[in-house]
Amino acid sequence: MLVFGGTGDLALHKLLPALYHLHCQGLLADDNHILALARQEFTREAYLSLVERHCRMHIALADFDERAWAGFSRRIQYFKLDANNASSFSALRGQLDLARERVYYLAVAPSLFTPIVHHLQLSGLATSQTRIVIEKPIGHNLASAKTINTAIGQVFAEHQVFRIDHYLGKEAVQNLLALRFGNALFEPLWRGQSIDHVQISVCETLGVESRGDYYEHAGALRDMVQNHLLQLLCLVAMEAPETYQAEAIRDEKVKVLHALKPITGQDVLDKTVRGQYGQGQVSGHRVPAYYFEKNVDNDSNTETFVALEVEVDNWRWAGVPFYLRTGKRLEQKCSEIIITFKALNRSLFGDVSPNRLVIRLQPDESITLQLMTKAPGRGMRLEASALNLHFSQKAGQAKRWDAYERLLLDTLEGDSTLFMRRDEVEAAWAWIDPILQGWQIYYQTPKTYPAGSQGPEQAQALLANHGREWYRA
Ligand code: NAD
């Protein structure tokens, strides 16, 4: 595996710790090697000490084993390379055993994707024996995503391209598929006749941290909705694939993206809410407003929060709103999908809450089915109870997989089931672009919300107008 951007945050904090875990589990072949590439001058020893320093911060103390680390570090080499320089790639070629299969992991800014694939091609390193992995952001709109995809597509066949969305590597996300397609129970109910609405929330307590530069030009819609939230929506809404194979699953996901009703014209005013965090308190600490963050314009118009009412315009989902919401500096860190079933037409027992299926991805992965049961004691009073499946509690039986571990192993094995195909990425952008345009046309400036709150009031109103509210555990 060749990691371009081997000195960057993604490589040091996510990829190398995940590869270490795979090594410890005996899942890397003896002759799997990691070649880290970046512009800085490093001896191998200096690079290894950089990696060790960072990995120790990201690997639990109990999992850090000195002997295993020594074995893992023997797999790692470092090579100085400037992605914009053709001669660097000729020199790189001289370092490689060309008969071997290779995975190129592009842990670099997207502006380097095109020069890297171009130079890989020119230096003869883009063979049928190779794969390429890229991370979001894949473009900032449909046109730029197409430019990147076309540049990559001129060098690598689609089956060689692995577009990572690490949400898809989460255990609970795959469990959503197991739940839907491995149980007879839910299928008859998984449709507009029985489901009132769906919520997908990805809430963070962190602010923009050190990513102000990038985030100022992205915002929550591009950074989170275009990829993670729409991917989750696809998994909830898609039809059963013919087989559990990459192409069949991706065919079904892309059909959902095509069925999303466009939010155009004045609809952006009624169906979307943009927010930006002001100063406030998160976990007892005072935090500054977004526009005071480093590398952020103090007159910034970037949204750090977005809420949307989305319609999937097909037979299964007609009339069922999907409410999506994501934001930074919110009250609680939590990623969850909530399926709320319709209320009973008639109740024998007074007030009964509708059944809910809560699929939680963060902080602890779990699935909960909320049912009404009899309150203990005399009389026939009902109360809400939960059937819980906590994966962290089951984890004693088997090691829990980190999303990157699973996805890295899949790239090594060439399994693209959990990766996004070109048409998915582009269909998602085709739906996002009109919202971005609408915000411009209607001067939709973000509404301020205090850091540590639930987001702007307008996001509450989006649901309250239909007699609903955002789910709170
Ligand atoms: P970073 O700035 O920390 O690292 C960038 C890396 O690219 C460094 O190793 C740098 O030396 C290298 N680099 C820069 N210019 C180069 C050149 N001309 N030639 C060779 N190497 C060069 O960035 P990052 O946080 O690691 O993110 C990398 C990419 O992954 C970005 O597109 C980011 O949006 C995406 N991403 C990052 C994360 C994360 O957790 N950090 C998560 C998802 C996606």
Side-chain angles (χ1 to χ4, degrees), residues 406-468:
R406 170 175 291 113
L407 296 172
L408 280 166
L409 196 60
D410 286 353
T411 63
L412 290 171
E413 291 176 348
D415 178 354
S416 52
T417 309
L418 299 176
F419 296 80
M420 290 178 294
R421 206 168 56 190
R422 173 178 182 160
D423 53 350
E424 282 181 73
V425 173
E426 293 179 6
W429 276 121
W431 185 77
I432 292 284
D433 272 3
I435 301 175
L436 291 165
Q437 285 151 12
W439 283 348
Q440 276 193 342
I441 293 167
Y442 293 99
Y443 302 109
Q444 276 289 74
T445 51
K447 316 275 185 281
T448 306
Y449 60 95
S453 70
Q454 284 197 70
E457 286 165 18
Q458 290 80 354
Q460 309 302 321
L462 191 68
L463 275 72
N465 293 342
H466 303 280
R468 302 183 177 110

Side-chain angles (χ1 to χ4, degrees), residues 62-227:
D63 291 341
F64 197 92
D65 177 88
E66 300 289 343
R67 268 191 58 198
W69 183 260
F72 175 63
S73 58
R74 278 195 287 279
R75 297 177 183 274
I76 305 177
Q77 299 284 342
Y78 179 81
F79 186 76
K80 176 175 180 267
L81 171 138
D82 181 350
N84 289 311
N85 182 339
S87 62
S88 284
F89 285 78
S90 321
L92 171 65
R93 188 186 157 97
Q95 299 287 310
L96 302 174
D97 171 357
L98 297 177
R100 300 288 311 274
E101 283 185 37
R102 285 181 299 282
V103 174
Y104 301 122
Y105 202 118
L106 271 46
V108 291
S111 57
L112 292 176
F113 292 176
T114 306
I116 291 175
V117 290
H118 177 67
H119 288 131
L120 286 172
Q121 183 181 39
L122 288 183
S123 54
L125 289 174
T127 63
S128 58
Q129 293 271 76
T130 55
R131 294 177 202 129
I132 186 158
V133 186
I134 58 174
E135 284 266 355
K136 73 164 193 188
I138 302 174
H140 55 272
N141 57 15
L142 177 59
S144 54
K146 279 187 170 169
T147 305
I148 292 175
N149 283 332
T150 302
I152 294 175
Q154 280 165 353
V155 179
F156 293 94
E158 182 59 29
H159 72 269
Q160 295 174 279
V161 185
F162 287 66
R163 297 177 190 81
I164 274 205
D165 184 325
H166 70 272
Y167 271 61
L168 300 186
K170 290 181 184 290
E171 193 80 359
V173 171
Q174 287 158 58
N175 248 306
L176 167 63
L177 295 181
L179 197 75
R180 284 197 60 195
F181 303 125
N183 295 284
L185 194 63
F186 290 107
E187 172 51 25
L189 304 177
W190 209 262
R191 57 194 69 242
Q193 284 85 343
S194 311
I195 291 178
D196 178 72
H197 73 281
V198 176
Q199 295 181 18
I200 302 178
S201 291
V202 177
C203 304
E204 299 176 78
T205 50
L206 288 178
V208 72
E209 309 297 297
S210 58
R211 294 170 68 225
D213 233 356
Y214 155 74
Y215 201 83
E216 258 299 85
H217 301 106
L221 187 70
R222 289 188 175 98
D223 186 47
M224 297 297 291
V225 179
Q226 187 274 340
N227 35 64

